[in-house]
Amino acid sequence: MKTQPDSLTRFIRRANSLVVLSGAGVSTASGIPDYRGRNGEWKHARPVQYGEFKTSAATRRRYWSRSHIGWQRFSGAQPNDAHRALATLEAIGKVDVVVTQNVDRLHSEAGSNNVIDLHGDLSKVRCIDCNSTTSRSTFQERLRIANPDWHAVVVRYQADGDADLHEYGQCDFVAPECEACGGIIKPDVVMFGENVPRKRVDDVFAAIDQADALLVVGSSLMVYSGFRFARHANEQQKPLAIVNQGQTRADDIATVKFDADCVTELSAAAEELAG
């Protein structure tokens, strides 16, 4: 790996087509906390595992009580200059596809048209049993109605609409069942311990195969679901650039690494290339 011998602008200019893989670091400037620190360590307790969510009613009550509070802040997040820069780079023909590990849909809201939401979309919920989907805003209202006298004290907000609460009251929280079949409702996202749908993975591999290079922004790539794409680009001998504050799992295979703020780097590159 080389360390900042060049500018991000020059890397992007040399490629006729890019796939961009974005992570939590892209959305921190929108007020959404990330998961990990500079060395890839967890900043908070590990998120709820899918297996626990599916089998434990107590875990579901805990998850939905925290998410009920966290969603009220998460849903108000707005795109920042990093999202807008990537939309600009798509508009001028440099970015083919944005693959995001985030579940906030801020890339789409910023104007990116070709987005693969690798880990799903937190603005929807899905029934585990009958697979029916509902908007999160509708389910949020069901949560409110089912818990009219419930209150919580927030210790801190966490990534992806989660909130760390004082423990009292979570055991009494009511998590509504599916209105269609009485089944278990989950957020329509890939939870930790759950597999990314195969078609999404295949679509990303195909996009990388067709592109000239891969650009990773705001991701430590510590989760395999993202790291495999960096490894695939390397195996295909495609240039790989990483913009991230702190180490990543793919530092040793990157063509170039920028240890920098992705908002600053992407904004500068988009402004120069679009100008």
Side-chain angles (χ1 to χ4, degrees):
M1 180 196 73
K2 301 174 184 178
T3 304
Q4 295 188 197
D6 211 341
S7 71
L8 179 62
T9 301
R10 291 191 64 181
F11 179 87
I12 295 173
R13 182 177 282 126
R14 284 196 293 263
N16 291 320
S17 61
L18 282 171
V19 170
V20 176
L21 174 62
S22 77
V26 173
S27 292
T28 54
S30 296
I32 300 175
D34 55 4
Y35 286 105
R36 300 177 186 271
R38 283 190 57 86
N39 297 318
E41 74 282 1
W42 290 96
K43 288 185 175 181
H44 310 289
R46 288 176 181 252
V48 170
Q49 300 291 307
Y50 176 64
E52 297 172 4
F53 182 92
K54 187 175 181 179
T55 59
S56 169
T59 297
R60 292 193 293 276
R61 286 194 296 270
R62 175 176 174 271
Y63 174 86
W64 284 118
S65 66
R66 294 162 62 107
S67 184
H68 177 55
I69 296 296
W71 173 255
Q72 297 170 37
R73 184 185 186 202
F74 181 90
S75 60
Q78 298 296 314
N80 63 58
D81 285 345
H83 300 107
R84 287 186 281 270
L86 289 172
T88 296
L89 291 172
E90 180 189 283
I92 65 175
K94 280 296 183 180
V95 170
D96 288 351
V97 181
V98 174
V99 181
T100 184
Q101 296 171 285
N102 302 332
V103 294
D104 51 36
R105 290 194 56 78
L106 293 181
H107 286 295
S108 296
E109 291 182 24
S112 291
N113 294 307
N114 300 316
V115 180
I116 298 175
D117 294 304
L118 187 67
H119 292 159
D121 176 3
L122 203 62
S123 70
K124 297 185 290 184
V125 297
R126 180 179 298 276
C127 176
I128 290 174
D129 297 282
C130 73
N131 210 38
S132 62
T133 59
T134 308
S135 73
R136 175 57 194 266
S137 59
T138 297
F139 189 68
Q140 185 76 0
E141 180 63 10
R142 291 188 65 203
L143 289 170
R144 187 190 66 79
I145 292 171
N147 299 277
D149 300 317
W150 184 83
H151 301 282
V153 176
V154 177
V155 177
R156 68 180 64 85
Y157 289 97
Q158 299 193 39
D160 292 344
D162 192 15
D164 190 9
L165 309 177
H166 282 296
E167 290 298 322
Y168 69 88
Q170 293 183 47
C171 61
D172 298 326
F173 193 81
V174 176
E177 298 174 336
C178 175
E179 291 183 303
C181 74
I184 296 171
I185 297 291
K186 72 179 286 289
D188 195 19
V189 301
V190 178
M191 302 180 77
F192 282 79
E194 191 177 9
N195 292 324
V196 177
R198 188 69 233 178
K199 183 180 184 305
R200 287 182 207 164
V201 175
D202 290 342
D203 286 348
V204 178
F205 282 139
I208 294 172
D209 288 343
Q210 294 172 15
D212 291 335
L214 175 64
L215 170 62
V216 176
V217 289
S219 176
S220 66
L221 299 174
M222 293 300 175
V223 177
Y224 180 73
S225 65
F227 173 66
R228 61 182 150 191
F229 301 125
R231 192 170 70 176
H232 183 73
N234 181 62
E235 291 169 350
Q236 298 299 311
Q237 299 184 329
K238 302 288 178 81
L240 167 63
I242 299 174
V243 182
N244 189 67
Q245 290 183 305
Q247 72 179 51
T248 83
R249 192 174 176 183
D251 284 353
D252 61 335
I253 60 172
T255 307
V256 58
K257 163 74 178 295
F258 302 93
D259 192 331
D261 174 59
C262 56
V263 174
T264 302
E265 292 291 321
L266 287 170
S267 296
E271 182 178 358
E272 184 172 350
L273 291 165

